[in-house]
Amino acid sequence: MEPTNSKEKILSAAAKLFRKKGYHATSLSQITKESSAPRGSIYYYFPDGKQQLAKEAIQKTGERVKSYIEKSLASHEDAAAAIQYHIKMMADRMFEQVENEADISLAAMSSEVWSSNETLRMACEDVYNEWEQVYADKLVCSGYEQEEARQLGSAIQSWIEGAYTLSLTKNSTVPMQIAADQIGKLFANRN
């Protein structure tokens, strides 16, 4: 979907450049050029500059992905089936997402800023915590205790993140498919 206002155009351009070039290698001049926005409008909408742009891009990505996770998990009542379905759906559309989405890569952003920018590191952490909580909530609905569900939510996010990175690296969805299959076996062994 094409952004309709200047702020959204700037944010979309920034997210795209952060994904392609990284946070540190992206300049405000590049964002201005990519968004076709007047330079002054960047500071009008984002008075704290590039850091604010990155934080809002992280949050926007977080909200969009969280909504996708929630919808995907709602497809099945059983948590194990829902999580397997979710991972397989991610695998089916992952290369289309990489090419077409203006979301940032949280894994790449986290890796780049974890030791140099506490504001952005915390923004990434908050988003990951929200995603983990969606999995935990689904597990609680399937009868898991809160603490076990919280820990499993974190483990599931870790598996997905790792499998996603491996899939991109190998240019294959096989690691995502394996993660979905293994999560299914994990839950099957619990019963």
Side-chain angles (χ1 to χ4, degrees):
M1 179 157 51
E2 194 67 30
T4 55
N5 66 42
S6 292
K7 182 177 181 179
E8 287 302 312
K9 286 179 183 176
I10 294 167
L11 190 56
S12 179
K16 180 180 176 182
L17 288 167
F18 293 148
R19 186 184 78 237
K20 283 181 154 182
K21 297 175 176 265
Y23 175 73
H24 294 296
T26 299
S27 69
L28 288 177
S29 297
Q30 291 168 325
I31 295 168
T32 300
K33 183 178 178 183
E34 180 74 26
S35 68
S36 301
R39 186 170 177 94
S41 62
I42 288 182
Y43 288 107
Y44 176 78
Y45 293 114
F46 306 95
D48 293 331
K50 188 167 84 165
Q51 178 176 280
Q52 184 180 358
L53 269 164
K55 184 177 179 182
E56 289 191 31
I58 290 165
Q59 292 167 336
K60 186 173 183 175
T61 295
E63 291 165 7
R64 193 193 69 73
V65 173
K66 180 182 175 187
S67 175
Y68 173 75
I69 296 168
E70 289 170 337
K71 288 176 187 169
S72 185
L73 294 183
S75 66
H76 294 79
E77 194 169 316
D78 175 67
I83 292 165
Q84 276 191 294
Y85 171 79
H86 167 64
I87 297 170
K88 288 179 179 183
M89 292 304 298
M90 282 182 63
D92 288 346
R93 58 184 294 251
M94 74 179 293
F95 291 109
E96 152 192 331
Q97 282 180 302
V98 170
E99 293 301 319
N100 297 324
E101 297 291 341
D103 288 338
I104 62 163
S105 165
L106 236 55
M109 180 66 80
S110 297
S111 295
E112 187 176 358
V113 302
W114 72 271
S115 67
S116 63
N117 190 313
E118 185 65 6
T119 298
L120 297 181
R121 185 204 63 76
M122 288 177 59
C124 290
E125 179 182 4
D126 290 345
V127 168
Y128 278 128
N129 288 339
E130 288 179 13
W131 295 350
E132 290 171 12
Q133 190 60 50
V134 174
Y135 299 118
D137 291 344
K138 185 67 175 184
L139 291 163
V140 167
C141 289
S142 286
Y144 286 77
E145 296 295 323
Q146 280 286 348
E147 182 57 22
E148 182 182 22
R150 186 192 62 74
Q151 289 180 17
L152 282 171
S154 181
I156 290 163
Q157 183 59 47
S158 298
W159 289 325
I160 290 170
E161 203 68 32
Y164 190 83
T165 300
L166 283 174
S167 288
L168 290 175
T169 302
K170 295 180 178 195
N171 198 26
S172 167
T173 61
V174 169
M176 291 291 287
Q177 299 295 339
I178 290 171
D181 293 342
Q182 292 304 312
I183 285 174
K185 289 178 184 177
L186 172 77
F187 285 111
N189 290 335
R190 181 183 187 270
N191 298 327

